[in-house]
Amino acid sequence: MSKMLESSSMDHTKMGLGRSIAVLTSGGDAQDMSKMLESSSMDHTKMGLGRSIAVLTSGGDAQGMNAAVRATVRVGLYTGAKVFFVHEGYQGLVDGGDNIKPATWESVSMMLQLGGTVIGSARCKDFQAREGRLQAACNLVKLGITNLCVIGGDGSLTGANQFRTEWSELLVDLVKAGKITKDQASMSSHLNIVGMVGSIDNDFCGTDMTIGTDSALHRIIEVVDAITTTAQSHQRTFILEVMGRNCGYLALVTALSCGADWVFIPEMPPDEGWEEHLCRRLADQRARGSRLNVIIVAEGAMARDGTPITSDQIKKLVTDRLGFDTRATVLGHVQRGGTPSAFDRILGSRMGVEAVMALLEATPETPACVVSLSGNQAIRLPLMECVQVTKDVTAALAERRFEDAIKLRGKSFESTWNTYKLLAHINPPEAQSNINVAIVNVGAPCAGMNAAVRAAVRMGNAQGHNMLAVYDGFDGLIEPITWTHVSGWTGKGGSMLGTKRTLPGKLMEEISSSISKHNIHAMVIIGGFEAYVGGLELVQAREKYEELCIPMVVIPATVSNNTCDRIKQSAAGTKRRVFIIETMGGYCGYLATMAGLAAGADAAYIYEEKFNIKDLELNVEHLVQKMKTNVKRGLILRNENSNANYTTDFIFNLYSEEGKGVFDCRKNILGHMQQGGTPTPFDRNFGTKMGAKSVLWLTEKVKDCYRHGRIYANTPDSACVLGMRKRSLCFQPLADLKSETDFEHRIPKTQWWLKIRPIMKILAKYDIKLDTSEHADMEHVYKKKSGK
C-alpha cells in the first residue's frame, strides 16, 4: 500500500471511482482489495472504485465536525468511492430510509464555518440493542456500504467497534431471516471502521486535541476576557464554571491561559483544608494590588472524598470568609456553540483525509482505528486501546488514584498541570539563585508574546532568579521585572515590553557592556525571524565579546491568522462573486495556506510553490466551471510576497477581465489587522508553556556552564531555538539551523506544512495528486504517549 501511495504516477482524483463511502465504512473482497492496494501502477483516484463510505456524527455535537464530514465526503469522492451521509447519528443508521443519503460535492459546500453538525446527531438506545444493530447492518448491506466513518466521543466509537466485531454474525442472522441474500452478504463480508473524536472536553486518550476543544476554549476565553474587565472595575472575584464532567482539560487550559488564581478539576482535587488555602491566596493577591480574582471550576470538580465542589459553594465560601464582592457564572452549552476556530477546521479537515485513507487501506485483519493528533502530525491508533485508556482514567478517578489519572491523560495534560502549579501562585524558594535572566522581544509584535514573557518571568521568580526586562528591543532599557508586573499579561495582544526590528550586529559593543553592567547570566529572546538572526549574531560575536558567552534561548513568535470567514459569508450572500484576499507572511505562505484550508479557498498563491500565467488561467477556468454548479462563489488567497510580478492588483484585474459575464471580483488586503487583537487560547497556552520551558532549560544550562566562579557558555548547544519539531517541543542549536534556513527570504528551506497544501486543492476539486509520502501507519497508544 505504501508503495502505491508513494507512486508518482498515481492519479488521486480517480481513487474512489465506483466506490461508496458512508461516514460509516467497510470493505469489499479482501483479496481483490489487497491486490489492488499492492499495485504500484494504481492511482489514488481509483483507490475507492466499487466501494462505498458512510459518514455519521454521534453523541454531543462539537465545532469542527462539519469540517471533518466535508473532508471525508470530498476525499471519498476524489478516490472514486460513493459516499453517503447518515443523518441523526446511529438512530439514522437504524431507521434507514431517507436518513442514509448519497453525498455530493456541492452538498458539503459552506459547511466549514458552521458550528454543530449539519447531518445531525442523536442519542440512540436502539443501536445499543442487538436488534437495532441488526437493522443497521441490513440498511448498510442493501446500499453496499462496507466502510463507516464515525465522528463522536468514546461511547460512539465503542459502539462502532462492537458493530464491527459482530458484523459477520449479524450477516448470518440477516440471511437466515431472509432480509438479505447470500450474494449480498458475500459482497459485504467485512466492515471497516475508522473513528474521529469530536468532543469539546478533550476527554479521549490518545490524541493531543479532539475536534471542538479549541473552539470551546475560544468561547470560554472570550467570556473570561469580558468578565475580567468588569471584575477589575469593581474589584470583584469571579467564579467561572466550564464543562468537563469527567475531564478537567477545558478548566485547566483556561486557568493557564487567563492566569487564574485557582482551578478545580476532577483529576486533581484540592488537599484537605483547601478552603483556608484558597482564601489566603485570594487575600494575598489583593494585598499585592490586584483588583480581581478569577477561579475556574470544571463541572465535575470534587473534593478528595468524592463530594462535588460547586461554583455556588465556592462563592459562599469567599463571600462569607473574605467579604469580597463575588459573582458566579455557569457557561453551559454556549461552549458548544458558535463558529469553529481555524484550528478545529484544519484539524477536522486533516483528520477527514486521513480517515478515508485508513478506510480504503484497511484489510479484514486491520483493527478499527481512530485518527489522532500528535504534535503537528495526524496518526492512527487502535480504537479500543484508546477507549481502554480513557476508561482507565475513569476507574482511577473512581478509586481516588488521582496521580494515576493525571498520568493516564497523557504527557500534554500532565505538563499543562505542572506548568499551572508553578505559575499560578508564587512560592519563593528559601535561597535566591543570584542568577540574572534578561528577556527581550524582537521583530514585529504578535499575539502570544506577552504570555511567553509572563511565564518566563514567573518561572524565573519561582526558581529564585532575578528577572530583567529589556524594553524596546536589543537597544532598549533594562529594568527589573517581577511576579506582579506581569499580572494579566496573558490575554493582552502585541508586546508589553515593546519591540523593534533592530538587529544586534551594529550594537555589539553596547550590548556586551549592558550584559556586563547588569551582570546578565542568561537571555530569552522572543520574536520572529529577527529573533533567530539576532540570536545567531550574538553567538557569532562570542569570539570577540566574552560577555556574550551566556546561555540563550529563542522562542519563535510570529503572526498567525484566523481571517476570511466574513468575507466568504459575504460571497455566499452574493451569487457569482470571487473575493481575492492578500495575507501577510513575507515570503512564508503558511498564513495563506492555513487560512485557505480553514476557509475553503479555491486557491492560495505562495512564494514556496511557484506559479505562472498558465496556473492563473487554470484557476480562472476552475472558477468559471464552479459558477455553473450550485456553489456560485469563490475565494482566492495571495501571500504578500508570493510573486513580484503577479501582484494582488494583477490577479484581481485578470480575474475581473476573464470572469466578465460569469462572476465579478472584490479584493481585500488584510494588512496589520492580522497582528492585532487578543491572543487565541492556543497562543496563550503554547506561549505560556514555551516561556516556562525556556527558563527551566536556561537554569540547567547556567549550572552546566558554571566554571571557576563564573558562567562561560561557548558551545553550540548553549544557544538554542525552542520549537515544535513533528511531535514535541525541542531545543535545537541556532548554529545547526543555519544550513536549514533561507536567509534571503527569511524562511526555513524545508517547511512541514507544505505537505498539507494538496489537501486544500483536493477539497477545492482540483485534479491533482495526493502527497502521501508521510504515510501514517498504525501505532500503539503507549508508544505514542511515551514519545510525546
Side-chain angles (χ1 to χ4, degrees):
M1 180 58 193
S2 61
K3 290 179 181 176
M4 180 195 75
L5 293 178
E6 289 166 8
S7 169
S8 61
S9 63
M10 178 173 279
D11 177 358
H12 289 65
T13 62
K14 294 174 184 161
M15 207 171 160
L17 290 179
R19 301 173 81 181
S20 304
I21 300 174
V23 188
L24 301 180
T25 112
S26 169
D29 186 274
Q31 286 186 336
D32 290 345
M33 181 59 188
S34 63
K35 288 178 184 176
M36 181 187 74
L37 293 178
E38 287 167 8
S39 169
S40 60
S41 61
M42 177 162 192
D43 66 43
H44 288 67
T45 60
K46 293 177 182 172
M47 190 176 173
L49 287 177
R51 302 180 73 184
S52 298
I53 300 175
V55 56
L56 67 81
T57 52
S58 176
D61 63 304
Q63 307 98 316
M65 278 184 165
N66 289 324
V69 170
R70 171 180 176 268
T72 303
V73 169
R74 290 193 168 179
V75 176
L77 293 172
Y78 163 84
T79 65
K82 292 180 183 177
V83 186
F84 291 84
F85 289 133
V86 178
H87 292 276
E88 312 309 331
Y90 284 118
Q91 192 64 57
L93 203 62
V94 174
D95 294 343
D98 288 341
N99 288 299
I100 306 177
K101 294 180 179 178
T104 65
W105 197 274
E106 289 78 15
S107 65
V108 292
S109 178
M110 293 303 289
M111 285 176 64
L112 267 174
Q113 73 272 25
L114 300 177
T117 166
V118 169
I119 60 175
S121 180
R123 309 286 181 185
C124 180
K125 289 186 178 179
D126 292 343
F127 192 77
Q128 294 174 16
R130 193 175 190 279
E131 189 60 36
R133 295 193 293 277
L134 194 67
Q135 185 57 48
C138 183
N139 293 331
L140 291 181
V141 170
K142 286 182 176 179
L143 290 169
I145 298 168
T146 54
N147 297 280
L148 185 61
C149 178
V150 178
I151 307 166
D154 62 333
S156 302
L157 300 184
T158 302
N161 187 71
Q162 183 181 4
F163 191 39
R164 175 183 182 272
T165 302
E166 62 186 20
W167 180 257
S168 297
E169 297 172 12
L170 295 174
L171 295 189
V172 170
D173 289 355
L174 289 171
V175 171
K176 284 182 181 178
K179 292 186 177 181
I180 63 172
T181 67
K182 287 185 177 180
D183 286 344
Q184 286 177 316
S186 177
M187 293 283 289
S188 303
S189 60
H190 179 69
L191 178 69
N192 293 324
I193 295 286
V194 170
M196 288 180 270
V197 189
S199 168
I200 68 167
D201 292 336
N202 203 31
D203 55 355
F204 191 81
C205 295
T207 184
D208 290 351
M209 289 283 273
T210 58
I211 296 169
T213 303
D214 186 69
S215 298
L217 285 169
H218 272 72
R219 300 291 91 75
I220 296 168
I221 291 300
E222 285 171 10
V223 172
V224 170
D225 287 347
I227 279 175
T228 51
T229 57
T230 298
Q232 281 186 322
S233 299
H234 298 278
Q235 297 192 60
R236 285 178 179 158
T237 296
F238 264 96
I239 302 160
L240 189 71
E241 182 180 307
V242 301
M243 283 186 166
R245 189 176 296 113
N246 301 306
C247 179
Y249 184 85
L250 290 178
L252 179 56
V253 173
T254 299
L256 192 65
S257 299
C258 72
D261 297 291
W262 196 287
V263 64
F264 292 91
I265 60 173
E267 291 87 350
M268 190 52 70
D271 294 327
E272 295 290 333
W274 62 268
E275 296 90 346
E276 291 292 338
H277 189 185
L278 171 62
C279 291
R280 185 170 63 252
R281 180 178 295 187
L282 299 182
D284 285 349
Q285 289 294 88
R286 291 293 178 94
R288 290 195 185 96
S290 175
R291 292 179 58 85
L292 81 158
N293 301 112
V294 177
I295 300 168
I296 308 297
V297 187
E299 62 177 322
M302 58 183 176
R304 291 261 160 186
D305 61 2
T307 57
I309 295 177
T310 67
S311 51
D312 286 339
Q313 176 187 345
I314 300 165
K315 177 184 175 183
K316 186 176 187 307
L317 170 70
V318 174
T319 304
D320 292 350
R321 294 205 186 179
L322 298 176
F324 288 175
D325 185 1
T326 307
R327 300 285 190 275
T329 301
V330 180
L331 283 189
H333 282 77
V334 70
Q335 294 159 86
R336 288 193 189 279
T339 302
S341 67
F343 184 95
D344 273 329
R345 297 183 207 192
I346 294 167
L347 179 63
S349 298
R350 293 182 68 188
M351 284 188 169
V353 173
E354 192 60 43
V356 173
M357 292 298 108
L359 283 170
L360 298 184
E361 292 168 18
T363 68
E365 291 72 39
T366 307
C369 81
V370 61
V371 179
S372 299
L373 179 74
S374 178
N376 59 25
Q377 289 188 308
I379 63 170
R380 302 175 194 175
L381 296 169
L383 190 155
M384 292 314 294
E385 283 189 21
C386 297
V387 169
Q388 186 56 54
V389 178
T390 304
K391 288 181 177 178
D392 290 345
V393 175
T394 304
L397 292 176
E399 296 165 11
R400 312 284 183 263
R401 292 184 288 109
F402 300 114
E403 293 289 346
D404 289 344
I406 291 276
K407 290 185 182 302
L408 285 166
R409 283 282 182 222
K411 291 288 184 183
S412 178
F413 189 98
E414 187 178 7
S415 68
T416 302
W417 170 248
N418 290 334
T419 303
Y420 170 77
K421 285 195 299 182
L422 287 167
L423 300 179
H425 188 64
I426 187 164
N427 293 301
E430 294 181 5
Q432 293 296 301
S433 68
N434 294 320
I435 294 172
N436 300 321
V437 181
I439 305 174
V440 60
N441 289 349
V442 187
C446 74
M449 272 185 165
N450 295 320
V453 172
R454 172 187 174 273
V457 168
R458 292 200 165 182
M459 185 60 78
N461 288 159
Q463 298 291 310
H465 306 333
N466 301 309
M467 303 305 291
L468 301 170
V470 183
Y471 290 92
D472 300 320
F474 281 117
D475 54 348
L477 183 67
I478 301 176
E479 291 184 354
I481 187 167
T482 65
W483 187 278
T484 53
H485 277 130
V486 293
S487 294
W489 279 28
T490 308
K492 296 184 183 296
S495 167
M496 298 293 288
L497 292 184
T499 181
K500 288 183 181 178
R501 294 183 182 272
T502 308
L503 292 172
K506 298 179 180 178
L507 303 168
M508 287 301 176
E509 198 73 48
E510 294 88 338
I511 289 173
S512 61
S513 176
S514 291
I515 290 174
S516 178
K517 176 183 175 183
H518 294 277
N519 196 24
I520 294 170
H521 303 112
M523 188 182 300
V524 180
I525 306 168
I526 304 171
F529 195 76
E530 287 89 352
Y532 169 64
V533 175
L536 204 55
E537 289 181 356
L538 291 174
V539 170
Q540 290 168 344
R542 280 175 168 176
E543 293 181 7
K544 185 176 180 182
Y545 300 97
E546 199 173 277
E547 294 85 356
L548 299 176
C549 292
I550 58 174
M552 304 174 197
V553 64
V554 173
I555 298 177
T558 186
V559 292
S560 61
N561 194 30
N562 289 351
T563 58
C564 305
D565 276 352
R566 294 182 184 175
I567 291 165
K568 193 179 180 192
Q569 285 166 10
S570 171
T574 309
K575 299 299 183 184
R576 303 181 185 280
R577 177 162 291 175
V578 174
F579 277 89
I580 297 163
I581 314 297
E582 181 183 301
T583 68
M584 293 179 75
Y587 288 95
C588 178
Y590 178 83
L591 291 183
T593 297
M594 291 305 187
L597 186 57
D602 295 282
Y605 301 121
I606 64 171
Y607 169 78
E608 293 92 342
E609 192 172 280
K610 304 304 179 187
F611 59 96
N612 54 37
I613 193 67
K614 289 183 179 179
D615 296 314
L616 296 175
E617 290 173 356
L618 177 67
N619 296 149
V620 171
E621 180 57 29
H622 176 83
L623 283 169
V624 169
Q625 295 303 316
K626 186 179 181 182
M627 297 299 162
K628 295 177 182 178
T629 70
N630 294 328
V631 189
K632 302 182 187 299
R633 56 192 165 270
L635 177 64
I636 304 293
L637 298 177
R638 178 187 174 275
N639 169 244
E640 59 183 341
N641 289 340
S642 56
N643 189 292
N645 296 313
Y646 298 137
T647 63
T648 301
D649 286 337
F650 177 92
I651 292 173
F652 171 74
N653 292 333
L654 174 67
Y655 274 70
S656 298
E657 180 64 29
E658 297 298 322
K660 279 183 179 177
V662 182
F663 59 80
D664 66 346
C665 295
R666 297 290 186 275
K667 69 176 176 179
N668 194 306
I669 298 175
L670 296 177
H672 284 78
M673 66 167 283
Q674 295 162 85
Q675 290 182 339
T678 57
T680 65
F682 181 89
D683 280 335
R684 298 182 196 204
N685 188 24
F686 200 50
T688 298
K689 284 185 175 180
M690 292 180 87
K693 196 176 182 75
S694 66
V695 171
L696 290 175
W697 182 84
L698 284 174
T699 302
E700 292 304 312
K701 279 295 170 188
V702 166
K703 293 176 183 176
D704 292 344
C705 299
Y706 188 79
R707 299 283 187 280
H708 309 298
R710 54 169 294 191
I711 293 164
Y712 188 78
N714 67 341
T715 57
D717 66 352
S718 65
C720 288
V721 172
L722 172 58
M724 176 69 74
R725 176 152 290 201
K726 290 191 176 180
R727 299 196 183 183
S728 59
L729 280 171
C730 57
F731 292 90
Q732 302 166 81
L734 289 167
D736 289 0
L737 294 175
K738 282 176 68 177
S739 61
E740 301 177 28
T741 305
D742 177 351
F743 285 91
E744 180 185 354
H745 299 104
R746 301 157 58 90
I747 55 175
K749 290 179 180 177
T750 303
Q751 312 216 56
W752 68 269
W753 53 266
L754 286 172
K755 293 185 181 296
I756 296 176
R757 279 185 64 78
I759 296 175
M760 181 188 72
K761 295 178 182 180
I762 288 169
L763 296 179
K765 211 173 184 178
Y766 282 91
D767 183 3
I768 69 155
K769 294 182 179 181
L770 181 61
D771 181 2
T772 53
S773 57
E774 287 198 2
H775 183 69
D777 293 314
M778 188 83 78
E779 300 184 17
H780 292 281
V781 180
Y782 292 100
K783 175 186 173 184
K784 184 252 179 185
K785 284 169 64 178
S786 65
K788 275 176 75 172

